[in-house]
Amino acid sequence: MTNQTITIPAADMLQLFTAILLKQGFTPEKARQCADVFTNNSIDGVYTHGVNRFPRFVEYIQKGYIDINASPTLKHQFGGVQQWDGNLGPGPLNAIHATNSVMQLAQQHGIGCVALANTNHWMRGGTYGWQAAKAGFVFIGWTNTTALMPTWGAIDNKLGNNPLVMALPYEQEAIVLDMAMSQYSFGALELADMKKEQLPVYGGFDTNGQLTTDPGAIRTSRRPLPIGYWKGAGLSLLLDVLAAVLSGGLPVHEITQQKTEMAVSQVFIAIDTNKLGSHAAIAQVVRNIITDYHRSTPENNKSITFPGERVLQTRQRNLQQGIPVVKEVWKTVNALNQ
């Protein structure tokens, strides 16, 4: 913990978030559900889409970008595929609903796909990967966003960060990959800049078009680096195309024309592994893969972890010691409850 941060018990954070959302007009159930998402993201160390993001969530409610009374409506269904309209409701609540719906479809059909149009930011996509994997499902999901990243070889932004989530059960927990299409999300750049820290590897370009590890320079240029250079740019494009096509919702270029990021398109896919002929062997197969993975020879005593493993370690630490929060962020959050 640095002198810029304080530690907040998870129960206190949850209580404060809930109180603030009740003041914004949420029902007790919806307030608690949303507060749970923001608190759990913070417990898991994803502060950029937890406590740090909470004030903006409230701001978007106050500006009318998020309709707290809206619920998703089913537009179309064929077999294991459903298309829903999120009606600009709270993104986390719509995403939880979509995840529950796609798990029900997977139980019926073996595999399900829920495509959600006209929704709001889901915060941490991994939330829904954990939700589905802990319930015993394989999960694949993604969202599009406003244009935040240049196509490879360009200087203007045409691509969304379009986070991709893949998850499956493992032992009593889960393996969860949750990644933006840029080397660092804008939330991560904002946090590093706030702490005056350099990035471990190149994160984008400065205003002169040079690769840099300075988060402030990347925020100024608004030119983050796609993961895998041109490969990440191509993946971002296809995730946007599929999100728009499957949901019947807006693609990145149309979302970008709005006054803020809203009415995004999302896809949720679940597979019920109980329906597979090899079901009985799956747990051992995954165990063998992870055992071999952990036998990697580390460089400079680095820790070898699978996606989601460090989250489990952070979760345990933050539950025991409290959640580290930047002082200014916590001051801003508390002001919302005045």
Side-chain angles (χ1 to χ4, degrees):
M1 187 179 72
T2 71
N3 59 7
Q4 293 178 303
T5 63
I6 52 176
T7 52
I8 306 298
D12 292 357
M13 184 176 287
L14 177 64
Q15 185 177 31
L16 181 59
F17 286 166
T18 304
I20 292 167
L21 294 176
L22 287 171
K23 284 188 174 182
Q24 295 301 317
F26 278 79
T27 64
E29 182 185 359
K30 286 186 174 182
R32 181 57 185 250
Q33 263 195 310
C34 271
D36 268 331
V37 169
F38 281 98
T39 304
N40 288 334
N41 289 352
S42 304
I43 290 170
D44 284 359
V46 190
Y47 314 110
T48 54
H49 292 81
V51 61
N52 293 9
R53 182 85 185 201
F54 186 79
R56 195 185 311 176
F57 181 69
V58 174
E59 177 193 344
Y60 280 20
I61 291 165
Q62 292 171 343
K63 288 183 174 178
Y65 303 152
I66 298 171
D67 182 352
I68 64 169
N69 298 310
S71 296
T73 49
L74 182 62
K75 297 189 297 182
H76 181 76
Q77 177 168 358
F78 181 78
V81 180
Q82 292 180 345
Q83 292 176 309
W84 290 77
D85 187 327
N87 296 310
L88 291 179
L93 298 184
N94 282 349
I96 290 169
H97 179 275
T99 305
N100 286 328
S101 298
V102 82
M103 289 190 293
Q104 290 175 358
L105 287 173
Q107 285 180 319
Q108 293 171 349
H109 302 279
I111 185 169
C113 175
V114 165
L116 178 62
N118 199 31
T119 189
N120 275 301
H121 197 305
W122 64 3
M123 299 305 138
R124 173 178 61 148
T127 296
Y128 318 106
W130 284 99
Q131 179 187 344
K134 291 281 283 182
F137 295 85
V138 168
F139 178 87
I140 303 170
W142 66 93
T143 181
N144 60 10
T145 69
T146 54
L148 297 170
M149 191 169 64
T151 57
W152 190 249
I155 59 173
D156 55 337
N157 292 340
K158 295 293 185 183
L159 297 175
N161 233 342
N162 305 348
L164 172 66
V165 180
M166 302 178 76
L168 76 157
Y170 176 59
E171 304 292 351
Q172 301 307 309
E173 290 293 343
I175 300 170
V176 182
L177 175 71
D178 178 6
M179 62 179 196
M181 291 299 105
S182 61
Q183 187 66 45
Y184 297 95
S185 69
F186 267 91
L189 293 173
E190 186 178 17
L191 183 61
D193 195 20
M194 199 183 298
K195 292 183 173 183
K196 306 301 180 190
E197 295 175 349
Q198 290 289 302
L199 304 170
V201 299
Y202 288 136
F205 302 89
D206 61 21
T207 51
N208 296 318
Q210 300 298 310
L211 285 170
T212 180
T213 58
D214 180 350
I218 300 164
R219 293 180 70 201
T220 299
S221 71
R222 298 196 66 79
R223 287 185 62 194
L225 183 67
I227 57 169
Y229 301 92
W230 51 90
K231 296 179 181 180
L235 180 55
S236 172
L237 175 64
L238 265 293
L239 290 173
D240 177 40
V241 171
L242 288 171
V245 167
L246 294 175
S247 71
L250 298 184
V252 166
H253 74 274
E254 292 184 12
I255 295 167
T256 306
Q257 292 167 10
Q258 302 178 119
K259 51 195 168 187
T260 192
E261 183 180 88
M262 54 193 287
V264 301
S265 304
Q266 298 173 346
V267 178
F268 303 74
I269 297 170
I271 301 169
D272 185 353
T273 56
N274 289 315
K275 304 291 194 291
L276 297 176
S278 58
H279 168 255
I282 290 173
Q284 188 60 50
V285 168
V286 178
R287 195 176 300 121
N288 291 346
I289 292 169
I290 296 303
T291 298
D292 180 69
Y293 179 86
H294 276 150
R295 286 179 182 147
S296 301
T297 304
E299 178 187 31
N300 300 326
N301 295 318
K302 288 183 179 177
S303 178
I304 307 299
T305 57
F306 60 77
E309 192 170 6
R310 280 184 299 172
V311 166
L312 295 172
Q313 296 164 1
T314 303
R315 183 183 300 169
Q316 186 176 19
R317 183 175 65 250
N318 284 352
L319 284 172
Q320 289 174 349
Q321 301 176 10
I323 300 165
V325 182
V326 175
K327 284 182 182 178
E328 281 302 308
V329 170
W330 195 241
K331 183 179 176 182
T332 301
V333 172
N334 272 278
L336 298 172
N337 197 39
Q338 300 307 313

